Every structure is written in C-alpha cells, then in structure tokens.
Amino acid sequence: MTDQLLDPRRTIVFAGDSVTDCGRRTDPAGLGDGYVKNLYDALPGPTIVNAGISGHRAADLVARWETDVLAHRPGLVSILIGINDTWRRYDEDDPTSAEQFEASYRKLLDPLGGVQLVLVEPFLVPVDDEQRGWREDLDPKLEVVRRLATEYGALLVPADVEFTARAAEVGPETLADDGVHPTAAGHRLLADLWLRALNNS
C-alpha cells in the first residue's frame, strides 16, 4: 500500500469541512495547516488536493462534488464529514437526520467506482456538558459512516474511537480546544491514524 501512496502519478483528494480546510483557501500551496499538510509532508510523490470548506455538511459536499473532487480524476478520495451535520442542530436549530446524512453520503460515494476510498469518522471530544449531549445526534451518523465503509469497500479511519481514547489520557482540550477543531497535536494524531489505516490495509 505504501508504494501506491507514493506513486507520483496518483492524485489524492481530501474532502470535508473546516477540519480538512484549515485555511487552505488562503494558503498559496492550497494545503492549509492541518492534517492534510501533515500527510503532504509524509507522502512525497502523489498530487495532494485539499477540497475542504469550513462549515460544510454532507449535502454541501454533494453540491460541489463534480468540480471539487471528480474533476481531479483522483485515484484515492478521503472523506471526513459529519460534525456540522450534528452541530447545526444545536447552534442553529437546523438538524440533519441520520437518514438524510446517509442519503447525501451515498451521493458522494456512488460516482467513485474504482477509486480507492478512505472514510474518516467525524469525531467529537466534548469539553462541556452541552457538547456531551451532542452524542445523541452524532452517534447514529458515526454508525452510518462505519456501515458505508463496509458496504463500499472503503478503509475506515476510526478517528472518533481514537480521539476519545486519547482525550481520556491527555484531556480533550489537548486535541481540540473547542471539542471539534483539532489543535496541532490533534492534527498530528489524525494524520497518524490516516496513515496507519492505509499501511495496515
């Protein structure tokens, strides 16, 4: 798998929300300063495309999938989406049901036949009691991602599982000071988990 990852003929597209975006739209290199940049540094060879946009939900990815992902003719697509599908329920009273989330996610996966897929669990390391209540909404969406990874033959990066375990050791703010957006340490962990999933496949 490592040889495939380092193939300079390959294009890898990372799609998602702010966790992926990380300022890439104002970065001359287009990478941002998060886990995608960490992976770019670890994977000299393939073309790396960051297609994250802050605030986006799964349905937003569907709307821009053709131009932002498929147009690059990727050999591998990594998707990390879902936390805003939960968050908007609590800060804007604009919920996305697990069924709606799954329907949108399938629209992302269906055009990618023959493309290697990596699905990253959306994750939350609650920093207060209010965020702990988000689990009621997020957990069914996590089950959707896990089930779709199996159905579509995708690699699954167990980010929520691993962030939760690490947060119990070092404290959630060490990984994401607001419970959602990773710190530098959180981005390093996410990149390490991504590489581990592919190297173990």
Side-chain angles (χ1 to χ4, degrees):
M1 183 61 68
T2 301
D3 290 343
Q4 292 182 31
L5 283 177
L6 299 179
D7 188 339
R9 299 166 296 178
R10 178 177 244 200
T11 295
I12 301 175
V13 177
F14 292 87
D17 51 35
S18 59
V19 178
T20 300
D21 184 334
C22 278
R24 64 96 178 171
R25 288 172 290 163
T26 56
D27 175 10
L31 295 169
D33 60 1
Y35 77 96
V36 175
K37 177 61 164 62
N38 291 340
L39 289 170
Y40 173 84
D41 292 339
L43 298 171
T47 298
I48 302 291
V49 176
N50 185 336
I53 294 184
S54 181
H56 273 197
R57 293 185 269 187
D60 298 308
L61 263 62
V62 173
R64 61 187 179 88
W65 205 239
E66 179 65 43
T67 55
D68 286 10
V69 176
L70 302 182
H72 293 286
R73 301 180 64 83
L76 185 154
V77 173
S78 177
I79 303 171
L80 168 51
I81 199 69
I83 191 59
N84 289 319
D85 292 86
T86 285
W87 199 345
R88 294 297 84 85
R89 170 181 172 181
Y90 298 97
D91 69 347
E92 296 182 4
D93 192 25
D94 185 11
T96 300
S97 69
E99 292 76 17
Q100 290 169 321
F101 177 70
E102 179 172 348
S104 292
Y105 215 124
R106 287 182 180 276
K107 291 177 182 177
L108 304 177
L109 298 175
D110 284 341
L112 291 171
V115 175
Q116 186 175 6
L117 300 173
V118 179
L119 307 189
V120 185
E121 292 178 347
F123 55 87
L124 174 69
V125 285
V127 296
D128 55 35
D129 288 339
E130 179 184 359
Q131 280 190 335
R132 291 183 185 92
W134 294 11
R135 278 286 164 191
E136 175 188 5
D137 189 277
L138 181 61
D139 286 350
K141 294 179 173 67
L142 281 167
E143 290 306 315
V144 167
V145 174
R146 293 163 182 162
R147 181 160 38 81
L148 291 178
T150 298
E151 181 178 339
Y152 283 81
L155 295 179
L156 179 70
V157 178
D160 187 68
V161 172
E162 296 293 340
F163 267 70
T164 298
R166 186 68 61 87
E169 299 172 358
V170 302
E173 291 88 352
T174 301
L175 302 177
D177 51 18
D178 65 352
V180 172
H181 297 97
T183 60
H187 279 291
R188 285 194 299 271
L189 174 59
L190 189 54
D192 289 346
L193 294 173
W194 196 94
L195 287 171
R196 184 191 306 169
L198 268 80
N199 288 330
N200 290 342
S201 64

